[in-house]
Amino acid sequence: MLMKKWLAAAFAGGLMLTTTAAWAQTVGPQGETATPSSSLTLSDADIAALKDKGYKAALLWHTSSDFTNAVTAGATDEFARAGISIAVKTDAQFDAARQRSDIETALAAKPNVILALPLDPVTSAEAFRQAVKDGVKLVFLSNLPKDYKQGTDYASIVTDDLYQMGKQAADAMAKAIGGKGKVGYIFHDANYYVTNQRDQSFKKTIEKDYPDIKIVAEQGISEPARAEELANAMLLQHPDLDGIYVTWAEPADGVLSALRGAGNTHTKIVTLDLAEPVALDMVKGGNVAALVADKAYELGRAMAASGIKSLLGQQTPAFVVAPALTVTKENVSQGWKDSLNRDAPQSVLNAAK
């Protein structure tokens, strides 16, 4: 999810949320049980009930990116099926104050549904309150305004299947190193439920399912710019690592630089989220073995479906997760489309030929 800016905004705005639930499956920011997005569908009767109602939607995003473009496409297509037009689209540029202004602008257009990623729990709680009073159906991406109640204040939270992302990363690592060896574990050193669940799922899957793989080095990271430095220190102590898990793609690029600087072509990297530098190394047969990503288009579709069901007065699940997918050299073109609803960067496509 373009983690650099996303997490910078999270830290600045107090977006870090916790859960005490076990790491057996993806759970929501308040411990909510996950519902697969595939179960959130519209029937022919649902579509018919919305015909000629003139409903409108607003998409209030935190940034502009390939990710938000894909979420927008999924939501727009689902709304179009129900005859719901997109009245407003905004980009808060990771600015909570600007997002508040965006909400006011959107409400002037009188939307019936708002899809948004709240940038700051406290500010967002106040900013979206008028929408709640106006009876607008709210569906949130990955985060929740403080003290909001599902079914009263909002319809659903929709996010990635975080547990599966970590598990698939562990499975990809095991495949890359032949099911045995020593690996390093670079995790996100902050109290943020999205990355925490992904990281912990990787670690637990390795420990549970792959007894011949040992995590021999662990390092927390909070600033992606330090990734190369931290990787160099890890490799100095453990030069024989067979693999390194990295919490997301930007610090993975720093780890890749450390491996290249050491002339290390042996150690494999598995990381999360799609990014051109690590994907390019992967398709060229370098250190990067696999990237695990979300299905952003499906996130948008599920958000729209939840909003539509709420308009119809139907019960909606509190916490919805979209599938994860593993992208490798072999499926990079299709994987990019499945995740982001667009072609992979031309450099990656050219190198994959």
PDB file of all heavy atoms in Angstrom, residues 314-352:
ATOM      1  N   GLN A 314     -29.417  -3.542   4.680  1.00  0.00           N
ATOM      2  CA  GLN A 314     -28.959  -4.893   5.002  1.00  0.00           C
ATOM      3  C   GLN A 314     -27.804  -4.841   5.999  1.00  0.00           C
ATOM      4  O   GLN A 314     -27.031  -3.886   6.044  1.00  0.00           O
ATOM      5  CB  GLN A 314     -28.508  -5.601   3.727  1.00  0.00           C
ATOM      6  CG  GLN A 314     -29.615  -5.791   2.698  1.00  0.00           C
ATOM      7  CD  GLN A 314     -29.107  -6.459   1.433  1.00  0.00           C
ATOM      8  OE1 GLN A 314     -28.028  -7.016   1.393  1.00  0.00           O
ATOM      9  NE2 GLN A 314     -29.916  -6.392   0.367  1.00  0.00           N
ATOM     10  N   GLN A 315     -27.663  -5.897   6.753  1.00  0.00           N
ATOM     11  CA  GLN A 315     -26.553  -6.000   7.689  1.00  0.00           C
ATOM     12  C   GLN A 315     -25.254  -6.186   6.925  1.00  0.00           C
ATOM     13  O   GLN A 315     -25.190  -6.920   5.936  1.00  0.00           O
ATOM     14  CB  GLN A 315     -26.769  -7.175   8.637  1.00  0.00           C
ATOM     15  CG  GLN A 315     -25.728  -7.259   9.749  1.00  0.00           C
ATOM     16  CD  GLN A 315     -26.070  -8.346  10.754  1.00  0.00           C
ATOM     17  OE1 GLN A 315     -27.052  -9.068  10.596  1.00  0.00           O
ATOM     18  NE2 GLN A 315     -25.264  -8.465  11.794  1.00  0.00           N
ATOM     19  N   THR A 316     -24.209  -5.519   7.365  1.00  0.00           N
ATOM     20  CA  THR A 316     -22.906  -5.624   6.718  1.00  0.00           C
ATOM     21  C   THR A 316     -21.875  -6.122   7.723  1.00  0.00           C
ATOM     22  O   THR A 316     -21.971  -5.842   8.920  1.00  0.00           O
ATOM     23  CB  THR A 316     -22.449  -4.264   6.164  1.00  0.00           C
ATOM     24  OG1 THR A 316     -22.496  -3.285   7.219  1.00  0.00           O
ATOM     25  CG2 THR A 316     -23.339  -3.813   5.020  1.00  0.00           C
ATOM     26  N   PRO A 317     -20.877  -6.881   7.273  1.00  0.00           N
ATOM     27  CA  PRO A 317     -19.853  -7.373   8.193  1.00  0.00           C
ATOM     28  C   PRO A 317     -18.983  -6.243   8.711  1.00  0.00           C
ATOM     29  O   PRO A 317     -18.681  -5.290   7.982  1.00  0.00           O
ATOM     30  CB  PRO A 317     -19.041  -8.348   7.335  1.00  0.00           C
ATOM     31  CG  PRO A 317     -19.295  -7.935   5.929  1.00  0.00           C
ATOM     32  CD  PRO A 317     -20.671  -7.359   5.893  1.00  0.00           C
ATOM     33  N   ALA A 318     -18.560  -6.343   9.941  1.00  0.00           N
ATOM     34  CA  ALA A 318     -17.770  -5.272  10.563  1.00  0.00           C
ATOM     35  C   ALA A 318     -16.395  -5.136   9.924  1.00  0.00           C
ATOM     36  O   ALA A 318     -15.889  -4.024   9.747  1.00  0.00           O
ATOM     37  CB  ALA A 318     -17.620  -5.538  12.055  1.00  0.00           C
ATOM     38  N   PHE A 319     -15.806  -6.274   9.565  1.00  0.00           N
ATOM     39  CA  PHE A 319     -14.411  -6.261   9.105  1.00  0.00           C
ATOM     40  C   PHE A 319     -14.272  -7.226   7.937  1.00  0.00           C
ATOM     41  O   PHE A 319     -14.540  -8.417   8.074  1.00  0.00           O
ATOM     42  CB  PHE A 319     -13.487  -6.666  10.257  1.00  0.00           C
ATOM     43  CG  PHE A 319     -12.021  -6.628   9.922  1.00  0.00           C
ATOM     44  CD1 PHE A 319     -11.383  -5.426   9.650  1.00  0.00           C
ATOM     45  CD2 PHE A 319     -11.275  -7.799   9.891  1.00  0.00           C
ATOM     46  CE1 PHE A 319     -10.034  -5.391   9.352  1.00  0.00           C
ATOM     47  CE2 PHE A 319      -9.930  -7.774   9.591  1.00  0.00           C
ATOM     48  CZ  PHE A 319      -9.303  -6.564   9.326  1.00  0.00           C
ATOM     49  N   VAL A 320     -13.873  -6.696   6.789  1.00  0.00           N
ATOM     50  CA  VAL A 320     -13.822  -7.465   5.542  1.00  0.00           C
ATOM     51  C   VAL A 320     -12.384  -7.483   5.033  1.00  0.00           C
ATOM     52  O   VAL A 320     -11.699  -6.450   5.049  1.00  0.00           O
ATOM     53  CB  VAL A 320     -14.741  -6.838   4.479  1.00  0.00           C
ATOM     54  CG1 VAL A 320     -14.696  -7.625   3.177  1.00  0.00           C
ATOM     55  CG2 VAL A 320     -16.168  -6.723   5.001  1.00  0.00           C
ATOM     56  N   VAL A 321     -11.927  -8.647   4.564  1.00  0.00           N
ATOM     57  CA  VAL A 321     -10.566  -8.731   4.040  1.00  0.00           C
ATOM     58  C   VAL A 321     -10.581  -9.232   2.602  1.00  0.00           C
ATOM     59  O   VAL A 321     -11.330 -10.140   2.244  1.00  0.00           O
ATOM     60  CB  VAL A 321      -9.668  -9.644   4.901  1.00  0.00           C
ATOM     61  CG1 VAL A 321      -9.485  -9.052   6.284  1.00  0.00           C
ATOM     62  CG2 VAL A 321     -10.207 -11.059   4.986  1.00  0.00           C
ATOM     63  N   ALA A 322      -9.729  -8.612   1.780  1.00  0.00           N
ATOM     64  CA  ALA A 322      -9.548  -9.024   0.393  1.00  0.00           C
ATOM     65  C   ALA A 322      -8.354  -9.961   0.298  1.00  0.00           C
ATOM     66  O   ALA A 322      -7.445  -9.914   1.129  1.00  0.00           O
ATOM     67  CB  ALA A 322      -9.336  -7.808  -0.491  1.00  0.00           C
ATOM     68  N   PRO A 323      -8.307 -10.820  -0.724  1.00  0.00           N
ATOM     69  CA  PRO A 323      -7.262 -11.843  -0.802  1.00  0.00           C
ATOM     70  C   PRO A 323      -5.859 -11.275  -1.011  1.00  0.00           C
ATOM     71  O   PRO A 323      -5.679 -10.158  -1.504  1.00  0.00           O
ATOM     72  CB  PRO A 323      -7.673 -12.675  -2.022  1.00  0.00           C
ATOM     73  CG  PRO A 323      -9.098 -12.345  -2.280  1.00  0.00           C
ATOM     74  CD  PRO A 323      -9.289 -10.944  -1.804  1.00  0.00           C
ATOM     75  N   ALA A 324      -4.894 -12.093  -0.645  1.00  0.00           N
ATOM     76  CA  ALA A 324      -3.489 -11.820  -0.942  1.00  0.00           C
ATOM     77  C   ALA A 324      -3.076 -12.657  -2.142  1.00  0.00           C
ATOM     78  O   ALA A 324      -3.718 -13.656  -2.472  1.00  0.00           O
ATOM     79  CB  ALA A 324      -2.626 -12.177   0.266  1.00  0.00           C
ATOM     80  N   LEU A 325      -1.995 -12.244  -2.801  1.00  0.00           N
ATOM     81  CA  LEU A 325      -1.452 -13.058  -3.882  1.00  0.00           C
ATOM     82  C   LEU A 325       0.064 -12.961  -3.878  1.00  0.00           C
ATOM     83  O   LEU A 325       0.642 -11.941  -3.463  1.00  0.00           O
ATOM     84  CB  LEU A 325      -2.002 -12.637  -5.237  1.00  0.00           C
ATOM     85  CG  LEU A 325      -1.548 -11.306  -5.843  1.00  0.00           C
ATOM     86  CD1 LEU A 325      -1.754 -11.331  -7.352  1.00  0.00           C
ATOM     87  CD2 LEU A 325      -2.331 -10.141  -5.244  1.00  0.00           C
ATOM     88  N   THR A 326       0.701 -14.036  -4.307  1.00  0.00           N
ATOM     89  CA  THR A 326       2.156 -14.086  -4.391  1.00  0.00           C
ATOM     90  C   THR A 326       2.577 -13.818  -5.829  1.00  0.00           C
ATOM     91  O   THR A 326       2.120 -14.493  -6.751  1.00  0.00           O
ATOM     92  CB  THR A 326       2.683 -15.458  -3.930  1.00  0.00           C
ATOM     93  OG1 THR A 326       2.277 -15.679  -2.576  1.00  0.00           O
ATOM     94  CG2 THR A 326       4.201 -15.510  -4.018  1.00  0.00           C
ATOM     95  N   VAL A 327       3.438 -12.828  -6.001  1.00  0.00           N
ATOM     96  CA  VAL A 327       3.921 -12.445  -7.322  1.00  0.00           C
ATOM     97  C   VAL A 327       5.377 -12.885  -7.458  1.00  0.00           C
ATOM     98  O   VAL A 327       6.217 -12.557  -6.611  1.00  0.00           O
ATOM     99  CB  VAL A 327       3.799 -10.928  -7.543  1.00  0.00           C
ATOM    100  CG1 VAL A 327       4.339 -10.532  -8.920  1.00  0.00           C
ATOM    101  CG2 VAL A 327       2.339 -10.491  -7.400  1.00  0.00           C
ATOM    102  N   THR A 328       5.665 -13.642  -8.513  1.00  0.00           N
ATOM    103  CA  THR A 328       7.014 -14.118  -8.794  1.00  0.00           C
ATOM    104  C   THR A 328       7.397 -13.728 -10.215  1.00  0.00           C
ATOM    105  O   THR A 328       6.611 -13.118 -10.951  1.00  0.00           O
ATOM    106  CB  THR A 328       7.099 -15.649  -8.645  1.00  0.00           C
ATOM    107  OG1 THR A 328       6.238 -16.248  -9.632  1.00  0.00           O
ATOM    108  CG2 THR A 328       6.662 -16.099  -7.253  1.00  0.00           C
ATOM    109  N   LYS A 329       8.583 -14.113 -10.600  1.00  0.00           N
ATOM    110  CA  LYS A 329       9.039 -13.839 -11.957  1.00  0.00           C
ATOM    111  C   LYS A 329       8.083 -14.448 -12.979  1.00  0.00           C
ATOM    112  O   LYS A 329       7.800 -13.851 -14.023  1.00  0.00           O
ATOM    113  CB  LYS A 329      10.447 -14.407 -12.150  1.00  0.00           C
ATOM    114  CG  LYS A 329      11.014 -14.235 -13.552  1.00  0.00           C
ATOM    115  CD  LYS A 329      12.416 -14.818 -13.651  1.00  0.00           C
ATOM    116  CE  LYS A 329      12.993 -14.651 -15.056  1.00  0.00           C
ATOM    117  NZ  LYS A 329      14.359 -15.210 -15.153  1.00  0.00           N
ATOM    118  N   GLU A 330       7.549 -15.607 -12.666  1.00  0.00           N
ATOM    119  CA  GLU A 330       6.717 -16.350 -13.609  1.00  0.00           C
ATOM    120  C   GLU A 330       5.349 -15.699 -13.837  1.00  0.00           C
ATOM    121  O   GLU A 330       4.773 -15.818 -14.918  1.00  0.00           O
ATOM    122  CB  GLU A 330       6.542 -17.795 -13.139  1.00  0.00           C
ATOM    123  CG  GLU A 330       7.786 -18.655 -13.255  1.00  0.00           C
ATOM    124  CD  GLU A 330       8.871 -18.297 -12.255  1.00  0.00           C
ATOM    125  OE1 GLU A 330       8.527 -17.780 -11.159  1.00  0.00           O
ATOM    126  OE2 GLU A 330      10.073 -18.500 -12.571  1.00  0.00           O
ATOM    127  N   ASN A 331       4.813 -15.024 -12.828  1.00  0.00           N
ATOM    128  CA  ASN A 331       3.456 -14.476 -12.969  1.00  0.00           C
ATOM    129  C   ASN A 331       3.395 -12.965 -12.763  1.00  0.00           C
ATOM    130  O   ASN A 331       2.344 -12.416 -12.450  1.00  0.00           O
ATOM    131  CB  ASN A 331       2.495 -15.177 -11.999  1.00  0.00           C
ATOM    132  CG  ASN A 331       2.707 -14.752 -10.548  1.00  0.00           C
ATOM    133  OD1 ASN A 331       3.773 -14.267 -10.181  1.00  0.00           O
ATOM    134  ND2 ASN A 331       1.694 -14.932  -9.716  1.00  0.00           N
ATOM    135  N   VAL A 332       4.526 -12.284 -12.938  1.00  0.00           N
ATOM    136  CA  VAL A 332       4.583 -10.865 -12.586  1.00  0.00           C
ATOM    137  C   VAL A 332       3.588 -10.028 -13.375  1.00  0.00           C
ATOM    138  O   VAL A 332       2.961  -9.119 -12.833  1.00  0.00           O
ATOM    139  CB  VAL A 332       6.024 -10.316 -12.727  1.00  0.00           C
ATOM    140  CG1 VAL A 332       6.489 -10.322 -14.186  1.00  0.00           C
ATOM    141  CG2 VAL A 332       6.129  -8.924 -12.131  1.00  0.00           C
ATOM    142  N   SER A 333       3.415 -10.322 -14.650  1.00  0.00           N
ATOM    143  CA  SER A 333       2.492  -9.525 -15.467  1.00  0.00           C
ATOM    144  C   SER A 333       1.051  -9.673 -14.987  1.00  0.00           C
ATOM    145  O   SER A 333       0.359  -8.684 -14.732  1.00  0.00           O
ATOM    146  CB  SER A 333       2.596  -9.938 -16.940  1.00  0.00           C
ATOM    147  OG  SER A 333       1.675  -9.219 -17.729  1.00  0.00           O
ATOM    148  N   GLN A 334       0.602 -10.914 -14.814  1.00  0.00           N
ATOM    149  CA  GLN A 334      -0.760 -11.152 -14.357  1.00  0.00           C
ATOM    150  C   GLN A 334      -0.943 -10.715 -12.913  1.00  0.00           C
ATOM    151  O   GLN A 334      -1.995 -10.183 -12.531  1.00  0.00           O
ATOM    152  CB  GLN A 334      -1.120 -12.627 -14.507  1.00  0.00           C
ATOM    153  CG  GLN A 334      -2.593 -12.930 -14.225  1.00  0.00           C
ATOM    154  CD  GLN A 334      -3.516 -12.193 -15.188  1.00  0.00           C
ATOM    155  OE1 GLN A 334      -3.305 -12.221 -16.397  1.00  0.00           O
ATOM    156  NE2 GLN A 334      -4.541 -11.539 -14.655  1.00  0.00           N
ATOM    157  N   GLY A 335       0.084 -10.941 -12.094  1.00  0.00           N
ATOM    158  CA  GLY A 335       0.000 -10.559 -10.690  1.00  0.00           C
ATOM    159  C   GLY A 335      -0.192  -9.068 -10.508  1.00  0.00           C
ATOM    160  O   GLY A 335      -0.968  -8.620  -9.655  1.00  0.00           O
ATOM    161  N   TRP A 336       0.511  -8.287 -11.319  1.00  0.00           N
ATOM    162  CA  TRP A 336       0.376  -6.828 -11.236  1.00  0.00           C
ATOM    163  C   TRP A 336      -1.048  -6.416 -11.586  1.00  0.00           C
ATOM    164  O   TRP A 336      -1.638  -5.565 -10.931  1.00  0.00           O
ATOM    165  CB  TRP A 336       1.374  -6.153 -12.168  1.00  0.00           C
ATOM    166  CG  TRP A 336       2.018  -4.925 -11.583  1.00  0.00           C
ATOM    167  CD1 TRP A 336       1.488  -3.669 -11.545  1.00  0.00           C
ATOM    168  CD2 TRP A 336       3.298  -4.841 -10.930  1.00  0.00           C
ATOM    169  NE1 TRP A 336       2.358  -2.807 -10.941  1.00  0.00           N
ATOM    170  CE2 TRP A 336       3.478  -3.488 -10.549  1.00  0.00           C
ATOM    171  CE3 TRP A 336       4.308  -5.756 -10.651  1.00  0.00           C
ATOM    172  CZ2 TRP A 336       4.626  -3.043  -9.900  1.00  0.00           C
ATOM    173  CZ3 TRP A 336       5.454  -5.319 -10.013  1.00  0.00           C
ATOM    174  CH2 TRP A 336       5.604  -3.985  -9.632  1.00  0.00           C
ATOM    175  N   LYS A 337      -1.586  -7.031 -12.635  1.00  0.00           N
ATOM    176  CA  LYS A 337      -2.956  -6.709 -13.045  1.00  0.00           C
ATOM    177  C   LYS A 337      -3.955  -7.121 -11.972  1.00  0.00           C
ATOM    178  O   LYS A 337      -4.901  -6.387 -11.670  1.00  0.00           O
ATOM    179  CB  LYS A 337      -3.281  -7.391 -14.368  1.00  0.00           C
ATOM    180  CG  LYS A 337      -2.565  -6.790 -15.572  1.00  0.00           C
ATOM    181  CD  LYS A 337      -2.934  -7.522 -16.846  1.00  0.00           C
ATOM    182  CE  LYS A 337      -2.204  -6.926 -18.043  1.00  0.00           C
ATOM    183  NZ  LYS A 337      -2.512  -7.661 -19.297  1.00  0.00           N
ATOM    184  N   ASP A 338      -3.766  -8.314 -11.400  1.00  0.00           N
ATOM    185  CA  ASP A 338      -4.695  -8.793 -10.376  1.00  0.00           C
ATOM    186  C   ASP A 338      -4.663  -7.912  -9.136  1.00  0.00           C
ATOM    187  O   ASP A 338      -5.681  -7.728  -8.470  1.00  0.00           O
ATOM    188  CB  ASP A 338      -4.349 -10.234  -9.984  1.00  0.00           C
ATOM    189  CG  ASP A 338      -4.682 -11.231 -11.076  1.00  0.00           C
ATOM    190  OD1 ASP A 338      -5.432 -10.875 -12.009  1.00  0.00           O
ATOM    191  OD2 ASP A 338      -4.180 -12.374 -11.001  1.00  0.00           O
ATOM    192  N   SER A 339      -3.489  -7.386  -8.815  1.00  0.00           N
ATOM    193  CA  SER A 339      -3.355  -6.555  -7.629  1.00  0.00           C
ATOM    194  C   SER A 339      -3.801  -5.127  -7.877  1.00  0.00           C
ATOM    195  O   SER A 339      -4.660  -4.593  -7.167  1.00  0.00           O
ATOM    196  CB  SER A 339      -1.900  -6.550  -7.148  1.00  0.00           C
ATOM    197  OG  SER A 339      -1.741  -5.644  -6.066  1.00  0.00           O
ATOM    198  N   LEU A 340      -3.229  -4.498  -8.900  1.00  0.00           N
ATOM    199  CA  LEU A 340      -3.386  -3.058  -9.092  1.00  0.00           C
ATOM    200  C   LEU A 340      -4.262  -2.673 -10.286  1.00  0.00           C
ATOM    201  O   LEU A 340      -4.430  -1.491 -10.570  1.00  0.00           O
ATOM    202  CB  LEU A 340      -2.015  -2.398  -9.231  1.00  0.00           C
ATOM    203  CG  LEU A 340      -1.126  -2.478  -7.985  1.00  0.00           C
ATOM    204  CD1 LEU A 340       0.240  -1.879  -8.272  1.00  0.00           C
ATOM    205  CD2 LEU A 340      -1.773  -1.779  -6.797  1.00  0.00           C
ATOM    206  N   ASN A 341      -4.755  -3.675 -11.014  1.00  0.00           N
ATOM    207  CA  ASN A 341      -5.630  -3.411 -12.149  1.00  0.00           C
ATOM    208  C   ASN A 341      -4.927  -2.560 -13.214  1.00  0.00           C
ATOM    209  O   ASN A 341      -5.532  -1.720 -13.871  1.00  0.00           O
ATOM    210  CB  ASN A 341      -6.914  -2.696 -11.684  1.00  0.00           C
ATOM    211  CG  ASN A 341      -8.005  -2.721 -12.747  1.00  0.00           C
ATOM    212  OD1 ASN A 341      -8.260  -3.746 -13.356  1.00  0.00           O
ATOM    213  ND2 ASN A 341      -8.655  -1.592 -12.962  1.00  0.00           N
ATOM    214  N   ARG A 342      -3.620  -2.770 -13.375  1.00  0.00           N
ATOM    215  CA  ARG A 342      -2.846  -2.059 -14.392  1.00  0.00           C
ATOM    216  C   ARG A 342      -1.662  -2.938 -14.782  1.00  0.00           C
ATOM    217  O   ARG A 342      -1.326  -3.910 -14.103  1.00  0.00           O
ATOM    218  CB  ARG A 342      -2.346  -0.717 -13.890  1.00  0.00           C
ATOM    219  CG  ARG A 342      -1.512  -0.782 -12.626  1.00  0.00           C
ATOM    220  CD  ARG A 342      -0.538   0.366 -12.502  1.00  0.00           C
ATOM    221  NE  ARG A 342       0.499   0.284 -13.535  1.00  0.00           N
ATOM    222  CZ  ARG A 342       1.704   0.840 -13.423  1.00  0.00           C
ATOM    223  NH1 ARG A 342       2.018   1.516 -12.341  1.00  0.00           N
ATOM    224  NH2 ARG A 342       2.595   0.726 -14.374  1.00  0.00           N
ATOM    225  N   ASP A 343      -1.027  -2.577 -15.892  1.00  0.00           N
ATOM    226  CA  ASP A 343       0.155  -3.310 -16.312  1.00  0.00           C
ATOM    227  C   ASP A 343       1.319  -3.034 -15.373  1.00  0.00           C
ATOM    228  O   ASP A 343       1.421  -1.951 -14.771  1.00  0.00           O
ATOM    229  CB  ASP A 343       0.558  -2.904 -17.738  1.00  0.00           C
ATOM    230  CG  ASP A 343      -0.429  -3.403 -18.779  1.00  0.00           C
ATOM    231  OD1 ASP A 343      -1.102  -4.420 -18.519  1.00  0.00           O
ATOM    232  OD2 ASP A 343      -0.522  -2.760 -19.850  1.00  0.00           O
ATOM    233  N   ALA A 344       2.218  -4.008 -15.284  1.00  0.00           N
ATOM    234  CA  ALA A 344       3.452  -3.794 -14.541  1.00  0.00           C
ATOM    235  C   ALA A 344       4.278  -2.708 -15.232  1.00  0.00           C
ATOM    236  O   ALA A 344       4.078  -2.430 -16.427  1.00  0.00           O
ATOM    237  CB  ALA A 344       4.247  -5.095 -14.464  1.00  0.00           C
ATOM    238  N   PRO A 345       5.207  -2.063 -14.533  1.00  0.00           N
ATOM    239  CA  PRO A 345       6.072  -1.070 -15.180  1.00  0.00           C
ATOM    240  C   PRO A 345       6.756  -1.661 -16.424  1.00  0.00           C
ATOM    241  O   PRO A 345       7.107  -2.844 -16.432  1.00  0.00           O
ATOM    242  CB  PRO A 345       7.085  -0.721 -14.091  1.00  0.00           C
ATOM    243  CG  PRO A 345       6.366  -1.010 -12.811  1.00  0.00           C
ATOM    244  CD  PRO A 345       5.505  -2.199 -13.100  1.00  0.00           C
ATOM    245  N   GLN A 346       6.949  -0.839 -17.426  1.00  0.00           N
ATOM    246  CA  GLN A 346       7.515  -1.333 -18.678  1.00  0.00           C
ATOM    247  C   GLN A 346       8.888  -1.941 -18.476  1.00  0.00           C
ATOM    248  O   GLN A 346       9.248  -2.922 -19.133  1.00  0.00           O
ATOM    249  CB  GLN A 346       7.605  -0.195 -19.701  1.00  0.00           C
ATOM    250  CG  GLN A 346       7.846  -0.671 -21.128  1.00  0.00           C
ATOM    251  CD  GLN A 346       6.763  -1.605 -21.644  1.00  0.00           C
ATOM    252  OE1 GLN A 346       5.576  -1.300 -21.497  1.00  0.00           O
ATOM    253  NE2 GLN A 346       7.132  -2.748 -22.196  1.00  0.00           N
ATOM    254  N   SER A 347       9.668  -1.382 -17.557  1.00  0.00           N
ATOM    255  CA  SER A 347      11.003  -1.942 -17.294  1.00  0.00           C
ATOM    256  C   SER A 347      10.906  -3.377 -16.804  1.00  0.00           C
ATOM    257  O   SER A 347      11.731  -4.236 -17.165  1.00  0.00           O
ATOM    258  CB  SER A 347      11.733  -1.092 -16.250  1.00  0.00           C
ATOM    259  OG  SER A 347      11.054  -1.129 -15.000  1.00  0.00           O
ATOM    260  N   VAL A 348       9.894  -3.635 -15.982  1.00  0.00           N
ATOM    261  CA  VAL A 348       9.696  -4.994 -15.448  1.00  0.00           C
ATOM    262  C   VAL A 348       9.220  -5.935 -16.564  1.00  0.00           C
ATOM    263  O   VAL A 348       9.717  -7.065 -16.685  1.00  0.00           O
ATOM    264  CB  VAL A 348       8.691  -4.977 -14.284  1.00  0.00           C
ATOM    265  CG1 VAL A 348       8.351  -6.386 -13.822  1.00  0.00           C
ATOM    266  CG2 VAL A 348       9.243  -4.143 -13.118  1.00  0.00           C
ATOM    267  N   LEU A 349       8.284  -5.475 -17.368  1.00  0.00           N
ATOM    268  CA  LEU A 349       7.780  -6.296 -18.462  1.00  0.00           C
ATOM    269  C   LEU A 349       8.883  -6.607 -19.470  1.00  0.00           C
ATOM    270  O   LEU A 349       8.998  -7.733 -19.959  1.00  0.00           O
ATOM    271  CB  LEU A 349       6.617  -5.592 -19.158  1.00  0.00           C
ATOM    272  CG  LEU A 349       5.351  -5.392 -18.325  1.00  0.00           C
ATOM    273  CD1 LEU A 349       4.333  -4.583 -19.100  1.00  0.00           C
ATOM    274  CD2 LEU A 349       4.761  -6.745 -17.905  1.00  0.00           C
ATOM    275  N   ASN A 350       9.709  -5.625 -19.768  1.00  0.00           N
ATOM    276  CA  ASN A 350      10.809  -5.850 -20.726  1.00  0.00           C
ATOM    277  C   ASN A 350      11.802  -6.872 -20.183  1.00  0.00           C
ATOM    278  O   ASN A 350      12.263  -7.753 -20.906  1.00  0.00           O
ATOM    279  CB  ASN A 350      11.533  -4.534 -21.012  1.00  0.00           C
ATOM    280  CG  ASN A 350      10.686  -3.580 -21.835  1.00  0.00           C
ATOM    281  OD1 ASN A 350       9.704  -3.972 -22.461  1.00  0.00           O
ATOM    282  ND2 ASN A 350      11.058  -2.314 -21.849  1.00  0.00           N
ATOM    283  N   ALA A 351      12.120  -6.735 -18.886  1.00  0.00           N
ATOM    284  CA  ALA A 351      13.097  -7.650 -18.279  1.00  0.00           C
ATOM    285  C   ALA A 351      12.548  -9.057 -18.138  1.00  0.00           C
ATOM    286  O   ALA A 351      13.319 -10.024 -18.097  1.00  0.00           O
ATOM    287  CB  ALA A 351      13.532  -7.120 -16.919  1.00  0.00           C
ATOM    288  N   ALA A 352      11.221  -9.186 -18.062  1.00  0.00           N
ATOM    289  CA  ALA A 352      10.600 -10.492 -17.875  1.00  0.00           C
ATOM    290  C   ALA A 352      10.503 -11.278 -19.165  1.00  0.00           C
ATOM    291  O   ALA A 352      10.197 -12.490 -19.140  1.00  0.00           O
ATOM    292  CB  ALA A 352       9.212 -10.337 -17.274  1.00  0.00           C
TER     293      ALA A 352
END
